[in-house]
Amino acid sequence: MENMYKILVIFVAVCFAKAHDPLPEDLSEEMYCAGCKATVKELGRALQYHTSEKMEKRVSDLLGQVCDEERFLSYEYSVKKLVKACEHLVQNHQDDLVPLLRDYYSKKSRKGHSYLHIAHIVCNKETFACGGGEEEGEEDPKKGKVIYNDDTDDFDIHFGDNVKMVKPVREFDSPKRDEL
């Protein structure tokens, strides 16, 4: 019976390890994801420049200030919702974010990179704010997906039912073209 209990505890821990923390009632999954990405973008704006101050102190100090409303005024989403998502992210993941951001922005090779790479790491792999808990191969390839490619610092697009793109029409020269 004791072994069965241990197995159940391990099973529950594994199942919940790939999900983010319970969200506040008025914060949707989509808004939490958007807030996570906006927060990482704002963190990146401040951390990308090298200073004489130790990176760990910079990260810790910035995590205490990043959720200010003024930082999110230029976004298309509700400022209050972005702040709520930012606060939830920082409150629940500050211990994970400090070493992650310190290590990422301490490397000189990161200078000039977009924030997409670190946003993917933070929002998909570490906090699961934007999903990311699915194992490779579990998804239905017919649905399509957009995934971040670490090597190219860009997104790979796999077209499908959920990911579509208009097919471009080639321009042609014709006397009747002006009539169209």
Side-chain angles (χ1 to χ4, degrees):
M1 188 70 169
E2 187 178 76
N3 285 339
M4 190 66 128
Y5 177 74
K6 288 180 183 178
I7 291 171
L8 180 62
V9 169
I10 291 170
F11 175 76
V12 170
V14 168
C15 288
F16 286 103
K18 293 189 175 186
H20 57 71
D21 303 304
L23 298 177
E25 202 170 291
D26 59 339
L27 188 64
S28 69
E29 301 249 345
E30 293 80 13
M31 186 54 71
Y32 183 46
C33 177
C36 180
K37 290 178 182 178
T39 301
V40 172
K41 187 172 191 173
E42 294 304 314
L43 289 166
R45 285 182 183 177
L47 295 172
Q48 69 181 341
Y49 302 106
H50 296 284
T51 65
S52 59
E53 189 177 21
K54 291 199 177 257
M55 185 58 78
E56 188 154 358
K57 180 172 178 11
R58 287 179 63 201
V59 170
S60 295
D61 291 349
L62 187 57
L63 285 173
Q65 305 165 3
V66 72
C67 297
D68 293 341
E69 280 189 18
E70 295 81 37
R71 293 190 184 268
F72 300 106
L73 293 175
S74 65
Y75 291 86
E76 294 180 18
Y77 298 104
S78 160
V79 172
K80 295 203 181 301
K81 296 281 185 176
L82 289 174
V83 167
K84 184 172 274 209
C86 177
E87 289 171 345
H88 184 77
L89 180 76
V90 171
Q91 287 172 359
N92 290 290
H93 297 284
Q94 184 163 357
D95 293 340
D96 300 323
L97 291 174
V98 170
L100 180 69
L101 293 168
R102 177 199 65 215
D103 293 345
Y104 186 83
Y105 285 104
S106 292
K107 296 179 180 175
K108 294 194 188 300
S109 64
R110 299 292 182 216
K111 192 172 183 177
H113 274 222
S114 71
Y115 77 99
L116 297 174
H117 184 242
I118 190 65
H120 176 70
I121 292 170
V122 170
C123 299
N124 291 87
K125 292 182 176 182
E126 292 296 320
T127 65
F128 302 108
C130 298
E134 301 87 14
E135 291 296 322
E136 205 60 41
E138 283 185 16
E139 300 166 4
D140 183 2
K142 292 179 185 174
K143 289 184 179 181
K145 61 184 173 180
V146 178
I147 56 172
Y148 182 77
N149 184 330
D150 294 335
D151 298 328
T152 62
D153 192 33
D154 203 358
F155 289 96
D156 291 337
I157 301 170
H158 301 268
F159 297 105
D161 293 339
N162 294 338
V163 181
K164 296 181 180 182
M165 184 175 182
V166 176
K167 293 182 182 179
V169 177
R170 195 169 40 148
E171 189 175 338
F172 60 94
D173 284 325
S174 167
K176 294 186 179 185
R177 182 179 87 181
D178 294 331
E179 295 174 17
L180 298 177

